[in-house]
Structures are given as C-alpha cells and as structure tokens.
Amino acid sequence: DDMLLPFPSFEEWPRHSHRHVRDCQPDIFGNATHETFSAHRNSNITVPSTTRYFVTKVVDSLGNVKNGYGHYTVINNPLRTFSVVEPGGSNGCIEERRRTVLNTSQARTCHVAVNAGFFNTHTGACLGNVVTDGKRIQDSGGIQNANFGIRKDGTIVVGYLSELDVLQEDNPFVQLVTGVIWLVRNGTVYVNESQTTECADMQETGSLDRFVNVVSARSAVGHDEEGRVVLVHIEGQTGDRGVSLWEFSDYLQRLGLVNAINLDGGGSATVVMDGTVANYPSDHCADNPAWRCARAVSTALCVHSL
Ligand code: M6P
C-alpha cells in the first residue's frame, strides 16, 4: 500500500479560492465589458413593432439649435420578431453582396428594416460579427467594437465581446451585429469611454475623433427598460446636416434607451417600412447626383411577423 502514498491527499494540494482563479484569467475571457438584459416577452402583444416619427431640437456644442428628424421603432417580443439579415438574404456576406435595405427587406419579408453593419466600401465585405437567425456567419476575432445581440434564451447583450463570448455554444447568439461606438451604457452617455477603447478600422469616415464629431445621418440599435429592441434613425448629410455621436447619444438617452450602439450612418442610413423607403437617404444617385438614392449597403435589421 506504500506504493500509493507519494501522491498527495486532497488536503495537501495547494489551494486558492475561486475568486483568485477568476482574477488571474487572461483578457481573452473578457470581463465586465458588456451588459445583459432580458428581452421583452408578452404573448398578449402580437403587433411586432410600432414606428413613430420625430422632429426634435438639438443643441450643438456651440449652443446653436438645429432640428433633428427621424424614426423611432420599438420592437415587442424581439427574440421572435427581430433579425439581423445579410445583404439580400442568405449568403450575402459570403458573396460580399451590397444591396439596398429595400431589397434585403423583401428577401426576409420585413415590416420595418434599417441599415445595420459597416462594410468595406471597396469590396463589399461585411465587417464585424454577424449572426443571423441562429446562423453564425462571421466573427470579428474579439476586435473591440460595440456589439448588439440576442442569445437563444432571450438575453440581450450589448458591448464588447471576446471571441469566446461570440463563439459560446451553451446559450449561443441567435442575432448579432457589430457597430462603432457604444452610445449609451446603462442609461449613461458612453461616447467618451468608447472613443478611447474602440477600433477605428471598421468605418471609413476618418479618425475615430472625426467619426464621432462630424454631423451626419445616424442609425442606432438598443433596448428600453422593458427589454424591447429599439431602432433609431436620424436624418443628415456628412459634414452638412444631422448630428454628432454626442448629440445622438444624448437624444437616445432622453428617449429612455438603456443601452444603444451606433450602426453605419451617412449615405447608408436607410429606413424601409412595408416595402417603401421612408427616409431621405443622403447618398447621391450615380446616374444623376442632383437626386438622392438609397445606397446598396451591407447587413440590415429587420422586424418581421412572429
Ligand atoms: C460618396 C458618394 C456621395 C456621398 C459621399 C459621402 O462620395 O456616395 O454621394 O454623399 O460618398 O458618403 P457618406 O456620408 O456615407 O460618408
């Protein structure tokens, strides 16, 4: 029996608390880099969403007052009525397609659709994390940009995600999209913090500082206190009309959004309602720049029937 003794008994193993183990994990496991919230569920509410229009006074950093025009869509039961959709539907990212939001909304039969993820304007490649209706299309490898997603159990997740967070299998993401700049975190304006931590590569407007401060058309996705997903769009034209991300996040906070991220904006900002473009896209038409045309973009966010 002596043969068994050199192996230390359980009591002799070096031990430390679970807390110690957790503190020593490397960064790849992520820490409090994102927020979670239970998505709204109410089987008595069968209308998937409500869209309202606003005209609001916006005060800029110099104290000048301007008007902001846009759309505010509140989505009930988002686990069943809200989807991230590839450009033109299935395989849109693999094929590096660019499609108008109208085209994408027809492919997925959306009541309401808005432009979503950033894309490479030279190749058409989708950028960031993309999960659509439970299908993982691509992951960003843990690049620090703001994400918005819903996991299988109905947990809304907003913020920075490690690659392991994205690839987690126990309660996988069913919808996931990446933006640039986490606008509102837990009810507070989070532009300053996100500007210092986020990667500038996904957007092509310029430095992160210019991207944040320039006035433009903007699109955002977030959630309210009830866990309803909220889409907000505001009209603009890069460098001429619209809002900075400071002004946008301030407005989103006042609308009661708990968390929100900034999606692709500028000439990409498009709102489609029941098969019709409902906003004034700022992109100039290729055939005649006197007119404005809805740009062919990347992913879209879609509100559909149950
Ligand atoms: C290109 C064209 C223009 C557009 C401009 C700025 O030059 O597509 O029509 O206005 O880009 O686009 P954005 O506001 O998206 O940066």
Side-chain angles (χ1 to χ4, degrees), residues 161-173:
L161 300 172
S162 68
E163 191 169 9
L164 291 181
D165 291 328
V166 172
L167 301 179
Q168 201 246 85
E169 296 280 359
D170 296 340
N171 182 21
F173 278 103

Side-chain angles (χ1 to χ4, degrees), residues 205 216 237-238 265-268 282-284 295:
T205 303
S216 192
Q237 168 91 60
T238 305
S268 302
S282 65
D283 209 31
H284 298 89
R295 181 181 283 167

